[in-house]
Amino acid sequence: MLSYGGWLALNQAVYGGRRLASVTLVDPGGLERVPLRFMVGLLAALFAMRTPPSWRPVLYRVLAEWALVERPEIMAPVLVAARGFRPDRGPARRFGDEELARVAVPVQLLVGARSRMVRPARVVARARRLLPVWHAEVVAGVGHAVPLEAPELVNDRVVAFAGRCSGR
């Protein structure tokens, strides 16, 4: 699960892990505080979406925001949803060490090397210290939208991990 969905999956692993066989976290919330640079980057990306299409590849490289170069037919429903979205809570909170130590199911962690949501090396180190991590990977060249930027890699990792976990 990606981002806030990763936080939800991690929360389930912490508080209801008996119902899970494993969990794959993709650039998830909850392993560290959501940094201000993530929120600022989201605002910058919203403004960048209003720029001429010819500028967007350059802005993508600067901002590491995949939405700037994604196909319009993919982004149209996302932008409609974003216009109407009104959060009723703050960003995903960071789980404490004691909470993460409760996780008993195998964990796979994939993070984007250019993510603004997490600091990749720091998150991987914390996860390896506190969670039963079977696989952790920093995906080179991608930002927070790992499944959109590297879909084949994510699909391959999820299928392989599920296969390993089903035989445990």
Side-chain angles (χ1 to χ4, degrees):
M1 301 294 288
L2 171 67
S3 197
Y4 188 69
W7 184 89
L8 292 172
L10 188 53
N11 187 69
Q12 182 66 33
V14 169
Y15 293 105
R18 300 172 306 286
R19 296 179 176 181
L20 301 175
S22 66
V23 64
T24 293
L25 307 171
V26 182
D27 224 68
L31 291 175
E32 65 182 1
R33 253 178 19 95
V34 175
L36 180 61
R37 74 175 182 275
F38 181 71
M39 300 303 183
V40 170
L42 287 177
L43 284 174
L46 283 174
F47 287 112
M49 293 293 286
R50 311 290 274 159
T51 64
S54 62
W55 295 12
R56 293 181 191 168
V58 172
L59 292 169
Y60 159 68
R61 285 191 293 280
V62 171
L63 297 172
E65 184 58 56
W66 183 254
L68 295 170
V69 294
E70 182 59 87
R71 298 182 316 273
E73 65 271 17
I74 299 295
M75 288 310 300
V78 173
L79 293 173
V80 167
R83 277 188 215 111
F85 178 69
R86 301 290 176 262
D88 60 353
R89 64 182 63 81
R93 72 172 181 80
R94 178 184 179 272
F95 289 100
D97 290 359
E98 316 75 40
E99 290 174 297
L100 294 177
R102 292 182 198 156
V103 175
V105 297
V107 173
Q108 174 172 232
L109 176 63
L110 305 172
V111 296
R114 299 185 64 213
S115 176
R116 287 186 323 267
M117 173 81 166
V118 300
R119 289 168 286 192
R122 187 173 174 162
V123 162
V124 168
R126 183 168 190 243
R128 284 189 170 137
R129 186 170 43 87
L130 298 168
L131 298 169
V133 172
W134 283 24
H135 177 76
E137 183 173 352
V138 177
V139 182
V142 303
H144 180 59
V146 182
L148 295 173
E149 296 181 69
E152 295 84 11
L153 180 140
V154 172
N155 289 342
D156 290 348
R157 299 302 189 270
V158 168
V159 170
F161 185 62
R164 285 178 58 207
C165 292
S166 67
R168 65 178 180 123

